[in-house]
Amino acid sequence: MELPPWLSSLSVPVLSTAVGGVIALLFLAGYLRRKRAEVATISHLSTPPDPKPSAPPSKQAPPKKASQRSHLHHHSDKDANKKHHQLDLNTLKGHTDSVTALCFSSDSHNLATVCADGAIRVFRIDDTSSKSFKSLRINLHAGVHPTGIVFSDGASHVVVAGQALMGCSLYSYGDVSGKPVQGKPSLPEIHWEHQKIHGRESVLNLTSAIASYGSADGSTIVASCSEESEIKVWDGKSGKLLGTVETNQLKNNMTAISPNGRFLAAAAFTADVKVWEIVYSKDGSVKEVIKVMQLKGHKSAVTSLCFLPNSEQILTASKDGTIRIWNINVRYHLDEDPKTLKVFTIPLHDAKGVTCQYDHMSISPDGKILAVTSGSTLQWLCVETGSVLDTAEKAHESDITGLAWAPKSIPNGGVASTILATSGEDRKVKLWLAPSVNAP
């Protein structure tokens, strides 16, 4: 049947409108469903967690961990405070690199250090309990790495060993005490220097003593120990070379001069310790340095040694795990051999129970306490019995590089005390009170 013309003219617009309406309704329905889904999702996320045991506990774990970290941090602070050793008195500040060596002046008022930052520092120690210490800084030549330092001519001069590309040199600086001259601070000057004193070899340590034996003139004798097998003896004031000795022991570990300036001893690669005598002329000058005896008894290399204050006995520490005390006051010219007076077992062990090696050792001015180091551990031993007086584990945050007793007592809070100084790779120099010899 044929539609009327007016109806046929309306069919297309009506159908288009109807189809458009249906499509609009479909889009609206989809939009409403999505909104309901979003509302449901938001409602679900904002719902408090189910307190039942079946709820996953992992969502509460992070706060617990944070609480544990905070708790451990407080314990760490408390442990750090507990680790402060009772004999630890003070720390000298200002070093910006590893402190390689240190020494006290003969009057104990000045403590000199050398640092890998290329500087000499001289600290004035009036009281070890002071909050700060006056200091003098001397910069070495560029490229010089200092390895040793000793005082010369009392407290006014220092002799420094410095390693450079072409070898090791000795420098003597004067007026380091910082005393003013005509009202103005004095500036340290180089009094003398020697280049390449051991060829290209570096200096392991410097040692010194005031020559007081026999006809000695009271001058300062300095010895430089090379890393190979050579040791040289110098006049501290003039810089004159007084003698050269060859240890013939492959590699040296260190050398020491007796307090009276008579004997020179070397710890080296072998188990034997060689001893030389510094012979003085009638005018007080050094005549020669001659080998006079050899200490035999250790079964392995000697890592460190020191003389007792009487200059007649030597303490040695060896890789064989023992410490020996030797009597060298013998008639060696009559072929009388030095005698072993005492043998102690090294009392320090690592976590596995293995006996430690002593890197440095120094004896107190009264000869009663032996201070020794192994890595970062500092230990005090009774010279008479070999028993442990005290131990400071982690005395420094890294290896200890040196130690030195003050020759004379220093006030600590106004009380005259025996003081030990240590240096470390941790850029620190520490002052320690000597333990009681009667401690259990």
Side-chain angles (χ1 to χ4, degrees), residues 84-90 380 390 431-436:
H84 181 81
H85 199 277
Q86 60 182 355
L87 300 178
D88 186 355
L89 299 177
N90 216 329
W380 294 266
D390 213 327
L431 302 177
W432 306 81
L433 182 67
S436 171

Side-chain angles (χ1 to χ4, degrees), residues 30-181:
Y31 173 78
L32 292 175
R33 283 196 300 271
R34 287 196 300 271
K35 293 299 292 181
R36 283 196 298 270
E38 289 177 4
V39 171
T41 301
I42 293 173
S43 175
H44 173 73
L45 290 176
S46 61
T47 303
D50 190 354
K52 295 180 180 180
S54 59
S58 59
K59 293 183 181 179
Q60 300 298 323
K64 289 184 179 179
K65 289 182 180 179
S67 175
Q68 289 173 356
R69 283 197 296 268
S70 175
H71 182 67
L72 290 175
H73 177 71
H74 289 300
H75 269 294
S76 177
D77 291 344
K78 291 180 181 179
D79 291 343
N81 292 331
K82 290 179 181 179
K83 288 180 181 178
H84 181 81
H85 199 277
Q86 60 182 355
L87 300 178
D88 186 355
L89 299 177
N90 216 329
T91 299
L92 304 185
K93 301 177 181 179
H95 303 92
T96 61
D97 208 329
S98 171
V99 184
T100 54
L102 77 170
C103 67
F104 276 101
S105 59
S106 57
D107 61 7
S108 297
H109 289 313
N110 292 318
L111 177 61
T113 68
V114 284
C115 181
D117 61 11
I120 305 166
R121 292 174 176 84
V122 183
F123 295 87
R124 178 74 179 182
I125 312 293
D126 293 319
D127 193 303
T128 58
S129 64
S130 299
K131 293 183 178 180
S132 62
F133 301 89
K134 293 181 179 179
S135 64
L136 171 70
R137 173 173 177 155
I138 308 169
N139 291 323
L140 295 171
H141 298 311
V144 175
H145 176 84
T147 59
I149 186 168
V150 293
F151 272 95
S152 174
D153 197 18
S156 61
H157 292 64
V158 292
V159 177
V160 180
Q163 181 69 30
L165 184 62
M166 299 304 294
C168 197
S169 301
L170 279 186
Y171 306 90
S172 173
Y173 289 86
D175 302 324
V176 298
S177 60
K179 295 180 180 180
V181 178

Side-chain angles (χ1 to χ4, degrees), residues 8-24:
S8 61
S9 62
L10 292 174
S11 61
V12 174
V14 171
L15 289 175
S16 298
T17 301
V19 171
V22 172
I23 294 173

Side-chain angles (χ1 to χ4, degrees), residues 91-307:
T91 299
L92 304 185
K93 301 177 181 179
H95 303 92
T96 61
D97 208 329
S98 171
V99 184
T100 54
L102 77 170
C103 67
F104 276 101
S105 59
S106 57
D107 61 7
S108 297
H109 289 313
N110 292 318
L111 177 61
T113 68
V114 284
C115 181
D117 61 11
I120 305 166
R121 292 174 176 84
V122 183
F123 295 87
R124 178 74 179 182
I125 312 293
D126 293 319
D127 193 303
T128 58
S129 64
S130 299
K131 293 183 178 180
S132 62
F133 301 89
K134 293 181 179 179
S135 64
L136 171 70
R137 173 173 177 155
I138 308 169
N139 291 323
L140 295 171
H141 298 311
V144 175
H145 176 84
T147 59
I149 186 168
V150 293
F151 272 95
S152 174
D153 197 18
S156 61
H157 292 64
V158 292
V159 177
V160 180
Q163 181 69 30
L165 184 62
M166 299 304 294
C168 197
S169 301
L170 279 186
Y171 306 90
S172 173
Y173 289 86
D175 302 324
V176 298
S177 60
K179 295 180 180 180
V181 178
Q182 295 180 349
K184 297 181 180 180
S186 58
L187 298 176
E189 299 177 351
I190 295 180
H191 278 208
W192 55 262
E193 65 178 287
H194 293 293
Q195 305 291 330
K196 300 174 66 175
I197 59 173
H198 294 289
R200 289 182 175 270
E201 300 169 16
S202 63
V203 170
L204 295 178
N205 79 298
L206 288 181
T207 181
S208 68
I210 297 175
S212 59
Y213 175 78
S215 60
D217 59 6
S219 59
T220 301
I221 305 298
V222 178
S224 59
C225 179
S226 77
E227 63 181 344
E228 293 299 324
S229 57
E230 186 179 67
I231 298 173
K232 289 189 175 182
V233 181
W234 312 82
D235 182 284
K237 187 173 184 179
S238 67
K240 179 183 177 181
L241 179 62
L242 303 176
T244 301
V245 300
E246 177 65 41
T247 63
N248 293 316
Q249 292 178 297
L250 297 179
K251 283 186 175 295
N252 295 329
N253 286 330
M254 55 89 64
T255 189
I257 299 177
S258 62
N260 64 2
R262 182 186 180 187
F263 293 113
L264 173 73
F269 183 77
T270 65
D272 298 340
V273 173
K274 294 182 179 181
V275 181
W276 294 262
E277 182 176 8
I278 301 173
V279 182
Y280 298 90
S281 302
K282 292 182 179 180
D283 63 358
S285 62
V286 174
K287 180 181 179 181
E288 59 183 342
V289 183
I290 58 173
K291 182 186 173 184
V292 293
M293 66 186 82
Q294 196 160 329
L295 311 182
K296 296 184 177 182
H298 283 296
K299 297 179 181 179
S300 189
V302 175
T303 58
S304 187
L305 59 82
C306 65
F307 285 89

